[in-house]
Amino acid sequence: MSADPLRTVSPLLKPYQQDGAAHLLGAFAEALRIDRVRLLLDEPGLGKTLTGAACLAMRDTISGEHRPAIVVCPSSVRATWRAELAKWAPDLTVILPDDVASIRAPGPGEVVVLGHDQLGCLRPPKAPPPTAPQKARDAYAKAKTLHDKRAAAIDSLKRLAPHTDLVVDEAQYAKGAASARSLVLEDLWKKGCRAVGGVLWILTGTIDPCSPLDLFVVLEVAGIANRIWPGGLVEFAAHFGGTYHSRGNRWDFPELPPGGSVLQGPVGERMARYVLLRRQEEVLGELPQPTARVLRCPVTGTLTSLGDAVLLAAGLILDALSGRSAAHFALDLSLLSELRAKLAEVKVAAMLARLVELEAEGIGTTAAPIIVYSEHRAPSEALRGRPGWGFITGADSPKQRQQTILDLEAGLLRGVAITGAGRTGITLIAAAYMIKVSLSWSDADEQQAEKRIIRYGQTRPVVIESIIADHPVEHLVLGVLARKAARAAATWAR
């Protein structure tokens, strides 16, 4: 399908967004087929949510009817979807269910926006033994009640009106072939929307290039994995040189060679029918290149010796040498997680001191706000109560998060502290300076956080400053991130 109709109706879209929308709308050309699926795997910061919202408006023009739709996205960006739909599709009625009990199937002209976490779990909670303490039995009763409500809500979603379309934003949240979210989405598409003649649009910019298996999972949810790989997972794994390890029940995949891409060769040609995948530099050459800075934070005392003990106990030094992710170890890494949280607390003092220095330079003011990102909560909690600061964390409601974004855009805030809840689907380009306090294990997560300020619409020079602890665990995390970034670069190369 040509992008010309979209360019005529929605000239506010950038040319590359028009091409992305034309790709998604191409699913309507498959009206007589069962694989009415399109995947937009653009890198973060290119406006996939905006493009998806515009497409929901355009589909009615193309199809000549008011089609219902279900959007599944992170809870943190449900308000963003509502705002984008109000802009691009004001004739549609947008419904954001507040709780599981209020979830229902959309009618003609309605869009129901659900959070990934609202889909719940297919598996009922495991009942405790009769001898379990009362607290455990109460927790089970509460979990079972919630599960029953979620199951009823999911069943109601399958009683769909004709031509109900499904949009899955940030599809990596459904990661794992046997995860509850993947199973629910797969069921919702194959037994629900596909059965009533709907289309499926999958939007994600964080399919982890270090693990091609993540891509297979998304294609499997869409019901097209076996069309590309008739031999299923075995053929897919062979194509990427994967090795199965019965211990830990995992697949390992080698790095792609420089210039390698998942879209090369015959398989790539088959995928190209369904998949559009682009990087920022390919379509947004005008974006400012960030300046990276590092602030060293010394660590002394028991934390240093404890770090050595944890590394030796968990075997993660060998992991660093072999290139495997810590997530692949069937070991109790709770002590490691606890140590990383303590390192984040240690770095709070360095963060606060740095904010004072930057304010003297005119950064961290309402005229030049700053973003503080941390995988752990300690940095954001240290900033709560300070005047002029907003927060996008798991402790803040979607309404509070949206208000923080609006206040930032209005020039009312000196800074915004975000955690993983603010890593995806939001735009914070009113700021151009970010301090990263504690790191994720995932390079994709780190890139997602940075793309909040390095994205379409950013015109000022961007600075990304990382506070790095002089500690063996921190060095290990940096090593894992560097390897993942190198693999990502090889996968993305054309």
PDB file of all heavy atoms in Angstrom, residues 23 37-41 207 212 215-216 219 224-225 227-229 236 239-240 261-277:
ATOM      1  N   HIS A  23       3.083   0.991   6.276  1.00  0.00           N
ATOM      2  CA  HIS A  23       3.421  -0.410   6.547  1.00  0.00           C
ATOM      3  C   HIS A  23       2.361  -1.055   7.435  1.00  0.00           C
ATOM      4  O   HIS A  23       1.883  -2.163   7.147  1.00  0.00           O
ATOM      5  CB  HIS A  23       4.793  -0.479   7.207  1.00  0.00           C
ATOM      6  CG  HIS A  23       5.149  -1.834   7.737  1.00  0.00           C
ATOM      7  ND1 HIS A  23       5.493  -2.886   6.918  1.00  0.00           N
ATOM      8  CD2 HIS A  23       5.190  -2.317   9.016  1.00  0.00           C
ATOM      9  CE1 HIS A  23       5.740  -3.953   7.643  1.00  0.00           C
ATOM     10  NE2 HIS A  23       5.559  -3.636   8.922  1.00  0.00           N
ATOM     11  N   VAL A  37      -1.097  -9.151   9.866  1.00  0.00           N
ATOM     12  CA  VAL A  37      -0.165  -8.773  10.929  1.00  0.00           C
ATOM     13  C   VAL A  37       0.894  -7.842  10.364  1.00  0.00           C
ATOM     14  O   VAL A  37       1.414  -8.062   9.263  1.00  0.00           O
ATOM     15  CB  VAL A  37       0.522 -10.019  11.536  1.00  0.00           C
ATOM     16  CG1 VAL A  37       1.541  -9.616  12.589  1.00  0.00           C
ATOM     17  CG2 VAL A  37      -0.508 -10.970  12.110  1.00  0.00           C
ATOM     18  N   ARG A  38       1.233  -6.803  11.121  1.00  0.00           N
ATOM     19  CA  ARG A  38       2.370  -5.960  10.794  1.00  0.00           C
ATOM     20  C   ARG A  38       3.123  -5.629  12.084  1.00  0.00           C
ATOM     21  O   ARG A  38       2.507  -5.389  13.130  1.00  0.00           O
ATOM     22  CB  ARG A  38       1.933  -4.657  10.122  1.00  0.00           C
ATOM     23  CG  ARG A  38       1.389  -4.818   8.699  1.00  0.00           C
ATOM     24  CD  ARG A  38       2.472  -5.310   7.748  1.00  0.00           C
ATOM     25  NE  ARG A  38       1.996  -5.392   6.370  1.00  0.00           N
ATOM     26  CZ  ARG A  38       1.392  -6.438   5.833  1.00  0.00           C
ATOM     27  NH1 ARG A  38       1.133  -7.494   6.592  1.00  0.00           N
ATOM     28  NH2 ARG A  38       1.017  -6.436   4.570  1.00  0.00           N
ATOM     29  N   LEU A  39       4.463  -5.632  12.000  1.00  0.00           N
ATOM     30  CA  LEU A  39       5.315  -5.311  13.148  1.00  0.00           C
ATOM     31  C   LEU A  39       6.140  -4.083  12.814  1.00  0.00           C
ATOM     32  O   LEU A  39       6.795  -4.021  11.768  1.00  0.00           O
ATOM     33  CB  LEU A  39       6.251  -6.475  13.482  1.00  0.00           C
ATOM     34  CG  LEU A  39       5.622  -7.751  14.057  1.00  0.00           C
ATOM     35  CD1 LEU A  39       5.115  -8.655  12.945  1.00  0.00           C
ATOM     36  CD2 LEU A  39       6.637  -8.500  14.921  1.00  0.00           C
ATOM     37  N   LEU A  40       6.105  -3.093  13.698  1.00  0.00           N
ATOM     38  CA  LEU A  40       6.927  -1.895  13.579  1.00  0.00           C
ATOM     39  C   LEU A  40       7.957  -1.948  14.703  1.00  0.00           C
ATOM     40  O   LEU A  40       7.625  -1.729  15.869  1.00  0.00           O
ATOM     41  CB  LEU A  40       6.065  -0.639  13.682  1.00  0.00           C
ATOM     42  CG  LEU A  40       6.762   0.700  13.432  1.00  0.00           C
ATOM     43  CD1 LEU A  40       7.368   0.757  12.028  1.00  0.00           C
ATOM     44  CD2 LEU A  40       5.797   1.864  13.643  1.00  0.00           C
ATOM     45  N   LEU A  41       9.204  -2.285  14.338  1.00  0.00           N
ATOM     46  CA  LEU A  41      10.255  -2.504  15.339  1.00  0.00           C
ATOM     47  C   LEU A  41      11.258  -1.366  15.342  1.00  0.00           C
ATOM     48  O   LEU A  41      12.454  -1.573  15.558  1.00  0.00           O
ATOM     49  CB  LEU A  41      10.974  -3.837  15.059  1.00  0.00           C
ATOM     50  CG  LEU A  41      10.107  -5.088  14.952  1.00  0.00           C
ATOM     51  CD1 LEU A  41      10.981  -6.336  14.857  1.00  0.00           C
ATOM     52  CD2 LEU A  41       9.155  -5.204  16.127  1.00  0.00           C
ATOM     53  N   ILE A 207      13.366  -5.296  20.964  1.00  0.00           N
ATOM     54  CA  ILE A 207      13.629  -6.722  20.783  1.00  0.00           C
ATOM     55  C   ILE A 207      15.131  -6.899  20.963  1.00  0.00           C
ATOM     56  O   ILE A 207      15.932  -6.395  20.198  1.00  0.00           O
ATOM     57  CB  ILE A 207      13.204  -7.182  19.384  1.00  0.00           C
ATOM     58  CG1 ILE A 207      11.684  -7.072  19.247  1.00  0.00           C
ATOM     59  CG2 ILE A 207      13.677  -8.595  19.113  1.00  0.00           C
ATOM     60  CD1 ILE A 207      10.909  -7.974  20.171  1.00  0.00           C
ATOM     61  N   PRO A 212      17.995 -13.533  19.877  1.00  0.00           N
ATOM     62  CA  PRO A 212      17.012 -13.636  18.794  1.00  0.00           C
ATOM     63  C   PRO A 212      15.752 -14.365  19.208  1.00  0.00           C
ATOM     64  O   PRO A 212      14.710 -14.209  18.569  1.00  0.00           O
ATOM     65  CB  PRO A 212      17.779 -14.414  17.711  1.00  0.00           C
ATOM     66  CG  PRO A 212      19.218 -14.130  17.984  1.00  0.00           C
ATOM     67  CD  PRO A 212      19.324 -14.031  19.479  1.00  0.00           C
ATOM     68  N   LEU A 215      12.682 -12.282  19.463  1.00  0.00           N
ATOM     69  CA  LEU A 215      11.994 -12.009  18.217  1.00  0.00           C
ATOM     70  C   LEU A 215      11.056 -13.155  17.850  1.00  0.00           C
ATOM     71  O   LEU A 215       9.922 -12.930  17.402  1.00  0.00           O
ATOM     72  CB  LEU A 215      13.004 -11.772  17.091  1.00  0.00           C
ATOM     73  CG  LEU A 215      12.432 -11.549  15.696  1.00  0.00           C
ATOM     74  CD1 LEU A 215      11.525 -10.330  15.677  1.00  0.00           C
ATOM     75  CD2 LEU A 215      13.565 -11.390  14.681  1.00  0.00           C
ATOM     76  N   PHE A 216      11.504 -14.382  18.043  1.00  0.00           N
ATOM     77  CA  PHE A 216      10.676 -15.543  17.736  1.00  0.00           C
ATOM     78  C   PHE A 216       9.410 -15.535  18.584  1.00  0.00           C
ATOM     79  O   PHE A 216       8.318 -15.864  18.096  1.00  0.00           O
ATOM     80  CB  PHE A 216      11.459 -16.836  17.962  1.00  0.00           C
ATOM     81  CG  PHE A 216      10.716 -18.078  17.544  1.00  0.00           C
ATOM     82  CD1 PHE A 216      10.728 -18.500  16.228  1.00  0.00           C
ATOM     83  CD2 PHE A 216       9.998 -18.818  18.469  1.00  0.00           C
ATOM     84  CE1 PHE A 216      10.029 -19.630  15.833  1.00  0.00           C
ATOM     85  CE2 PHE A 216       9.302 -19.956  18.091  1.00  0.00           C
ATOM     86  CZ  PHE A 216       9.319 -20.367  16.758  1.00  0.00           C
ATOM     87  N   LEU A 219       6.921 -13.080  17.130  1.00  0.00           N
ATOM     88  CA  LEU A 219       6.339 -13.614  15.903  1.00  0.00           C
ATOM     89  C   LEU A 219       5.378 -14.760  16.198  1.00  0.00           C
ATOM     90  O   LEU A 219       4.377 -14.948  15.501  1.00  0.00           O
ATOM     91  CB  LEU A 219       7.448 -14.088  14.961  1.00  0.00           C
ATOM     92  CG  LEU A 219       8.396 -13.001  14.431  1.00  0.00           C
ATOM     93  CD1 LEU A 219       9.501 -13.633  13.602  1.00  0.00           C
ATOM     94  CD2 LEU A 219       7.641 -11.974  13.614  1.00  0.00           C
ATOM     95  N   ILE A 224       2.715 -15.939  13.135  1.00  0.00           N
ATOM     96  CA  ILE A 224       3.380 -16.005  11.829  1.00  0.00           C
ATOM     97  C   ILE A 224       4.767 -16.640  11.914  1.00  0.00           C
ATOM     98  O   ILE A 224       5.463 -16.736  10.904  1.00  0.00           O
ATOM     99  CB  ILE A 224       3.507 -14.607  11.188  1.00  0.00           C
ATOM    100  CG1 ILE A 224       4.278 -13.650  12.121  1.00  0.00           C
ATOM    101  CG2 ILE A 224       2.128 -14.038  10.847  1.00  0.00           C
ATOM    102  CD1 ILE A 224       4.515 -12.278  11.517  1.00  0.00           C
ATOM    103  N   ALA A 225       5.178 -17.090  13.097  1.00  0.00           N
ATOM    104  CA  ALA A 225       6.514 -17.670  13.243  1.00  0.00           C
ATOM    105  C   ALA A 225       6.690 -18.875  12.319  1.00  0.00           C
ATOM    106  O   ALA A 225       7.717 -19.017  11.645  1.00  0.00           O
ATOM    107  CB  ALA A 225       6.768 -18.063  14.698  1.00  0.00           C
ATOM    108  N   ARG A 227       5.173 -19.526   9.589  1.00  0.00           N
ATOM    109  CA  ARG A 227       5.150 -19.162   8.173  1.00  0.00           C
ATOM    110  C   ARG A 227       6.548 -18.765   7.708  1.00  0.00           C
ATOM    111  O   ARG A 227       6.912 -18.961   6.548  1.00  0.00           O
ATOM    112  CB  ARG A 227       4.166 -18.018   7.929  1.00  0.00           C
ATOM    113  CG  ARG A 227       2.722 -18.434   8.043  1.00  0.00           C
ATOM    114  CD  ARG A 227       1.789 -17.269   7.768  1.00  0.00           C
ATOM    115  NE  ARG A 227       0.405 -17.723   7.768  1.00  0.00           N
ATOM    116  CZ  ARG A 227      -0.229 -18.175   6.696  1.00  0.00           C
ATOM    117  NH1 ARG A 227       0.401 -18.229   5.539  1.00  0.00           N
ATOM    118  NH2 ARG A 227      -1.483 -18.571   6.771  1.00  0.00           N
ATOM    119  N   ILE A 228       7.308 -18.164   8.603  1.00  0.00           N
ATOM    120  CA  ILE A 228       8.673 -17.764   8.256  1.00  0.00           C
ATOM    121  C   ILE A 228       9.627 -18.927   8.455  1.00  0.00           C
ATOM    122  O   ILE A 228      10.525 -19.164   7.639  1.00  0.00           O
ATOM    123  CB  ILE A 228       9.088 -16.550   9.115  1.00  0.00           C
ATOM    124  CG1 ILE A 228       8.119 -15.383   8.873  1.00  0.00           C
ATOM    125  CG2 ILE A 228      10.521 -16.123   8.799  1.00  0.00           C
ATOM    126  CD1 ILE A 228       8.337 -14.209   9.802  1.00  0.00           C
ATOM    127  N   TRP A 229       9.437 -19.675   9.541  1.00  0.00           N
ATOM    128  CA  TRP A 229      10.251 -20.859   9.832  1.00  0.00           C
ATOM    129  C   TRP A 229       9.322 -22.064   9.928  1.00  0.00           C
ATOM    130  O   TRP A 229       8.811 -22.377  11.014  1.00  0.00           O
ATOM    131  CB  TRP A 229      11.006 -20.679  11.149  1.00  0.00           C
ATOM    132  CG  TRP A 229      12.118 -19.683  11.056  1.00  0.00           C
ATOM    133  CD1 TRP A 229      13.369 -19.876  10.542  1.00  0.00           C
ATOM    134  CD2 TRP A 229      12.068 -18.326  11.494  1.00  0.00           C
ATOM    135  NE1 TRP A 229      14.096 -18.722  10.625  1.00  0.00           N
ATOM    136  CE2 TRP A 229      13.324 -17.743  11.205  1.00  0.00           C
ATOM    137  CE3 TRP A 229      11.099 -17.529  12.079  1.00  0.00           C
ATOM    138  CZ2 TRP A 229      13.628 -16.426  11.486  1.00  0.00           C
ATOM    139  CZ3 TRP A 229      11.398 -16.213  12.358  1.00  0.00           C
ATOM    140  CH2 TRP A 229      12.648 -15.681  12.063  1.00  0.00           C
ATOM    141  N   PHE A 236      14.446 -22.089  13.376  1.00  0.00           N
ATOM    142  CA  PHE A 236      14.834 -20.718  13.748  1.00  0.00           C
ATOM    143  C   PHE A 236      16.190 -20.718  14.442  1.00  0.00           C
ATOM    144  O   PHE A 236      17.086 -19.946  14.097  1.00  0.00           O
ATOM    145  CB  PHE A 236      13.763 -20.128  14.665  1.00  0.00           C
ATOM    146  CG  PHE A 236      14.171 -18.835  15.341  1.00  0.00           C
ATOM    147  CD1 PHE A 236      13.938 -17.618  14.730  1.00  0.00           C
ATOM    148  CD2 PHE A 236      14.762 -18.843  16.596  1.00  0.00           C
ATOM    149  CE1 PHE A 236      14.297 -16.437  15.345  1.00  0.00           C
ATOM    150  CE2 PHE A 236      15.131 -17.672  17.221  1.00  0.00           C
ATOM    151  CZ  PHE A 236      14.901 -16.455  16.593  1.00  0.00           C
ATOM    152  N   HIS A 239      19.051 -21.420  12.157  1.00  0.00           N
ATOM    153  CA  HIS A 239      19.362 -20.277  11.294  1.00  0.00           C
ATOM    154  C   HIS A 239      20.289 -19.300  11.997  1.00  0.00           C
ATOM    155  O   HIS A 239      21.192 -18.723  11.389  1.00  0.00           O
ATOM    156  CB  HIS A 239      18.071 -19.583  10.881  1.00  0.00           C
ATOM    157  CG  HIS A 239      18.277 -18.317  10.109  1.00  0.00           C
ATOM    158  ND1 HIS A 239      18.652 -18.312   8.779  1.00  0.00           N
ATOM    159  CD2 HIS A 239      18.200 -17.017  10.485  1.00  0.00           C
ATOM    160  CE1 HIS A 239      18.774 -17.064   8.366  1.00  0.00           C
ATOM    161  NE2 HIS A 239      18.498 -16.266   9.388  1.00  0.00           N
ATOM    162  N   PHE A 240      20.080 -19.095  13.298  1.00  0.00           N
ATOM    163  CA  PHE A 240      20.887 -18.147  14.054  1.00  0.00           C
ATOM    164  C   PHE A 240      22.051 -18.816  14.783  1.00  0.00           C
ATOM    165  O   PHE A 240      22.736 -18.177  15.579  1.00  0.00           O
ATOM    166  CB  PHE A 240      20.019 -17.398  15.064  1.00  0.00           C
ATOM    167  CG  PHE A 240      19.127 -16.357  14.454  1.00  0.00           C
ATOM    168  CD1 PHE A 240      17.803 -16.625  14.203  1.00  0.00           C
ATOM    169  CD2 PHE A 240      19.626 -15.117  14.103  1.00  0.00           C
ATOM    170  CE1 PHE A 240      16.969 -15.687  13.629  1.00  0.00           C
ATOM    171  CE2 PHE A 240      18.813 -14.155  13.531  1.00  0.00           C
ATOM    172  CZ  PHE A 240      17.485 -14.440  13.288  1.00  0.00           C
ATOM    173  N   SER A 261      22.507  -9.036   9.947  1.00  0.00           N
ATOM    174  CA  SER A 261      21.187  -8.518  10.281  1.00  0.00           C
ATOM    175  C   SER A 261      20.181  -9.657  10.264  1.00  0.00           C
ATOM    176  O   SER A 261      20.297 -10.582   9.460  1.00  0.00           O
ATOM    177  CB  SER A 261      20.752  -7.439   9.289  1.00  0.00           C
ATOM    178  OG  SER A 261      19.387  -7.112   9.466  1.00  0.00           O
ATOM    179  N   VAL A 262      19.188  -9.569  11.150  1.00  0.00           N
ATOM    180  CA  VAL A 262      18.143 -10.591  11.171  1.00  0.00           C
ATOM    181  C   VAL A 262      17.271 -10.508   9.920  1.00  0.00           C
ATOM    182  O   VAL A 262      16.462 -11.392   9.666  1.00  0.00           O
ATOM    183  CB  VAL A 262      17.254 -10.441  12.423  1.00  0.00           C
ATOM    184  CG1 VAL A 262      18.040 -10.700  13.677  1.00  0.00           C
ATOM    185  CG2 VAL A 262      16.597  -9.073  12.471  1.00  0.00           C
ATOM    186  N   LEU A 263      17.403  -9.450   9.143  1.00  0.00           N
ATOM    187  CA  LEU A 263      16.576  -9.281   7.953  1.00  0.00           C
ATOM    188  C   LEU A 263      17.331  -9.583   6.668  1.00  0.00           C
ATOM    189  O   LEU A 263      16.935  -9.154   5.595  1.00  0.00           O
ATOM    190  CB  LEU A 263      16.019  -7.854   7.895  1.00  0.00           C
ATOM    191  CG  LEU A 263      15.069  -7.479   9.022  1.00  0.00           C
ATOM    192  CD1 LEU A 263      14.531  -6.077   8.827  1.00  0.00           C
ATOM    193  CD2 LEU A 263      13.911  -8.462   9.106  1.00  0.00           C
ATOM    194  N   GLN A 264      18.462 -10.301   6.752  1.00  0.00           N
ATOM    195  CA  GLN A 264      19.216 -10.643   5.559  1.00  0.00           C
ATOM    196  C   GLN A 264      18.807 -12.018   5.045  1.00  0.00           C
ATOM    197  O   GLN A 264      18.301 -12.861   5.780  1.00  0.00           O
ATOM    198  CB  GLN A 264      20.721 -10.640   5.849  1.00  0.00           C
ATOM    199  CG  GLN A 264      21.297  -9.233   6.004  1.00  0.00           C
ATOM    200  CD  GLN A 264      22.787  -9.270   6.255  1.00  0.00           C
ATOM    201  OE1 GLN A 264      23.321 -10.260   6.712  1.00  0.00           O
ATOM    202  NE2 GLN A 264      23.451  -8.179   5.944  1.00  0.00           N
ATOM    203  N   GLY A 265      19.054 -12.260   3.752  1.00  0.00           N
ATOM    204  CA  GLY A 265      18.845 -13.569   3.158  1.00  0.00           C
ATOM    205  C   GLY A 265      17.382 -13.898   2.943  1.00  0.00           C
ATOM    206  O   GLY A 265      16.494 -13.063   3.128  1.00  0.00           O
ATOM    207  N   PRO A 266      17.095 -15.156   2.537  1.00  0.00           N
ATOM    208  CA  PRO A 266      15.705 -15.568   2.257  1.00  0.00           C
ATOM    209  C   PRO A 266      14.780 -15.372   3.435  1.00  0.00           C
ATOM    210  O   PRO A 266      13.629 -14.967   3.277  1.00  0.00           O
ATOM    211  CB  PRO A 266      15.855 -17.044   1.886  1.00  0.00           C
ATOM    212  CG  PRO A 266      17.275 -17.199   1.440  1.00  0.00           C
ATOM    213  CD  PRO A 266      18.075 -16.226   2.254  1.00  0.00           C
ATOM    214  N   VAL A 267      15.287 -15.667   4.651  1.00  0.00           N
ATOM    215  CA  VAL A 267      14.441 -15.488   5.832  1.00  0.00           C
ATOM    216  C   VAL A 267      14.103 -14.015   6.008  1.00  0.00           C
ATOM    217  O   VAL A 267      12.969 -13.641   6.303  1.00  0.00           O
ATOM    218  CB  VAL A 267      15.132 -16.044   7.088  1.00  0.00           C
ATOM    219  CG1 VAL A 267      14.367 -15.654   8.343  1.00  0.00           C
ATOM    220  CG2 VAL A 267      15.238 -17.555   7.001  1.00  0.00           C
ATOM    221  N   GLY A 268      15.108 -13.157   5.797  1.00  0.00           N
ATOM    222  CA  GLY A 268      14.871 -11.723   5.904  1.00  0.00           C
ATOM    223  C   GLY A 268      13.841 -11.238   4.910  1.00  0.00           C
ATOM    224  O   GLY A 268      13.011 -10.376   5.211  1.00  0.00           O
ATOM    225  N   GLU A 269      13.864 -11.807   3.694  1.00  0.00           N
ATOM    226  CA  GLU A 269      12.883 -11.416   2.688  1.00  0.00           C
ATOM    227  C   GLU A 269      11.476 -11.806   3.125  1.00  0.00           C
ATOM    228  O   GLU A 269      10.513 -11.065   2.920  1.00  0.00           O
ATOM    229  CB  GLU A 269      13.227 -12.074   1.356  1.00  0.00           C
ATOM    230  CG  GLU A 269      14.533 -11.556   0.750  1.00  0.00           C
ATOM    231  CD  GLU A 269      14.922 -12.326  -0.492  1.00  0.00           C
ATOM    232  OE1 GLU A 269      14.136 -13.200  -0.914  1.00  0.00           O
ATOM    233  OE2 GLU A 269      16.015 -12.074  -1.035  1.00  0.00           O
ATOM    234  N   ARG A 270      11.332 -12.987   3.727  1.00  0.00           N
ATOM    235  CA  ARG A 270      10.024 -13.405   4.216  1.00  0.00           C
ATOM    236  C   ARG A 270       9.567 -12.531   5.384  1.00  0.00           C
ATOM    237  O   ARG A 270       8.395 -12.188   5.508  1.00  0.00           O
ATOM    238  CB  ARG A 270      10.069 -14.878   4.634  1.00  0.00           C
ATOM    239  CG  ARG A 270       9.983 -15.868   3.478  1.00  0.00           C
ATOM    240  CD  ARG A 270      10.078 -17.296   3.973  1.00  0.00           C
ATOM    241  NE  ARG A 270      11.463 -17.704   4.139  1.00  0.00           N
ATOM    242  CZ  ARG A 270      11.847 -18.797   4.788  1.00  0.00           C
ATOM    243  NH1 ARG A 270      10.944 -19.571   5.348  1.00  0.00           N
ATOM    244  NH2 ARG A 270      13.108 -19.106   4.897  1.00  0.00           N
ATOM    245  N   MET A 271      10.508 -12.151   6.239  1.00  0.00           N
ATOM    246  CA  MET A 271      10.173 -11.298   7.378  1.00  0.00           C
ATOM    247  C   MET A 271       9.793  -9.895   6.940  1.00  0.00           C
ATOM    248  O   MET A 271       8.950  -9.241   7.558  1.00  0.00           O
ATOM    249  CB  MET A 271      11.342 -11.236   8.357  1.00  0.00           C
ATOM    250  CG  MET A 271      11.538 -12.475   9.190  1.00  0.00           C
ATOM    251  SD  MET A 271      12.929 -12.293  10.330  1.00  0.00           S
ATOM    252  CE  MET A 271      12.385 -10.907  11.311  1.00  0.00           C
ATOM    253  N   ALA A 272      10.432  -9.404   5.866  1.00  0.00           N
ATOM    254  CA  ALA A 272      10.221  -8.030   5.430  1.00  0.00           C
ATOM    255  C   ALA A 272       8.767  -7.764   5.065  1.00  0.00           C
ATOM    256  O   ALA A 272       8.320  -6.618   5.087  1.00  0.00           O
ATOM    257  CB  ALA A 272      11.129  -7.715   4.245  1.00  0.00           C
ATOM    258  N   ARG A 273       8.046  -8.802   4.710  1.00  0.00           N
ATOM    259  CA  ARG A 273       6.618  -8.630   4.429  1.00  0.00           C
ATOM    260  C   ARG A 273       5.875  -8.154   5.670  1.00  0.00           C
ATOM    261  O   ARG A 273       4.895  -7.408   5.576  1.00  0.00           O
ATOM    262  CB  ARG A 273       6.040  -9.957   3.934  1.00  0.00           C
ATOM    263  CG  ARG A 273       4.528  -9.941   3.797  1.00  0.00           C
ATOM    264  CD  ARG A 273       4.025 -11.294   3.364  1.00  0.00           C
ATOM    265  NE  ARG A 273       2.584 -11.356   3.419  1.00  0.00           N
ATOM    266  CZ  ARG A 273       1.875 -12.446   3.187  1.00  0.00           C
ATOM    267  NH1 ARG A 273       2.500 -13.574   2.890  1.00  0.00           N
ATOM    268  NH2 ARG A 273       0.571 -12.432   3.252  1.00  0.00           N
ATOM    269  N   TYR A 274       6.324  -8.592   6.819  1.00  0.00           N
ATOM    270  CA  TYR A 274       5.631  -8.280   8.061  1.00  0.00           C
ATOM    271  C   TYR A 274       6.331  -7.201   8.892  1.00  0.00           C
ATOM    272  O   TYR A 274       5.689  -6.521   9.690  1.00  0.00           O
ATOM    273  CB  TYR A 274       5.526  -9.535   8.938  1.00  0.00           C
ATOM    274  CG  TYR A 274       4.892 -10.722   8.270  1.00  0.00           C
ATOM    275  CD1 TYR A 274       5.659 -11.753   7.749  1.00  0.00           C
ATOM    276  CD2 TYR A 274       3.509 -10.820   8.156  1.00  0.00           C
ATOM    277  CE1 TYR A 274       5.080 -12.865   7.150  1.00  0.00           C
ATOM    278  CE2 TYR A 274       2.915 -11.921   7.552  1.00  0.00           C
ATOM    279  CZ  TYR A 274       3.706 -12.938   7.048  1.00  0.00           C
ATOM    280  OH  TYR A 274       3.122 -14.018   6.450  1.00  0.00           O
ATOM    281  N   VAL A 275       7.645  -7.073   8.744  1.00  0.00           N
ATOM    282  CA  VAL A 275       8.449  -6.307   9.700  1.00  0.00           C
ATOM    283  C   VAL A 275       9.053  -5.073   9.045  1.00  0.00           C
ATOM    284  O   VAL A 275       9.600  -5.142   7.941  1.00  0.00           O
ATOM    285  CB  VAL A 275       9.583  -7.191  10.279  1.00  0.00           C
ATOM    286  CG1 VAL A 275      10.482  -6.375  11.199  1.00  0.00           C
ATOM    287  CG2 VAL A 275       8.994  -8.384  11.021  1.00  0.00           C
ATOM    288  N   LEU A 276       8.959  -3.937   9.737  1.00  0.00           N
ATOM    289  CA  LEU A 276       9.687  -2.730   9.370  1.00  0.00           C
ATOM    290  C   LEU A 276      10.554  -2.350  10.561  1.00  0.00           C
ATOM    291  O   LEU A 276      10.047  -2.206  11.683  1.00  0.00           O
ATOM    292  CB  LEU A 276       8.731  -1.591   9.016  1.00  0.00           C
ATOM    293  CG  LEU A 276       9.389  -0.277   8.571  1.00  0.00           C
ATOM    294  CD1 LEU A 276      10.203  -0.488   7.296  1.00  0.00           C
ATOM    295  CD2 LEU A 276       8.343   0.813   8.362  1.00  0.00           C
ATOM    296  N   LEU A 277      11.847  -2.212  10.340  1.00  0.00           N
ATOM    297  CA  LEU A 277      12.819  -2.026  11.415  1.00  0.00           C
ATOM    298  C   LEU A 277      13.808  -0.944  10.992  1.00  0.00           C
ATOM    299  O   LEU A 277      14.485  -1.076   9.979  1.00  0.00           O
ATOM    300  CB  LEU A 277      13.531  -3.353  11.679  1.00  0.00           C
ATOM    301  CG  LEU A 277      14.605  -3.453  12.744  1.00  0.00           C
ATOM    302  CD1 LEU A 277      14.641  -4.869  13.300  1.00  0.00           C
ATOM    303  CD2 LEU A 277      15.976  -3.107  12.190  1.00  0.00           C
TER     304      LEU A 277
END
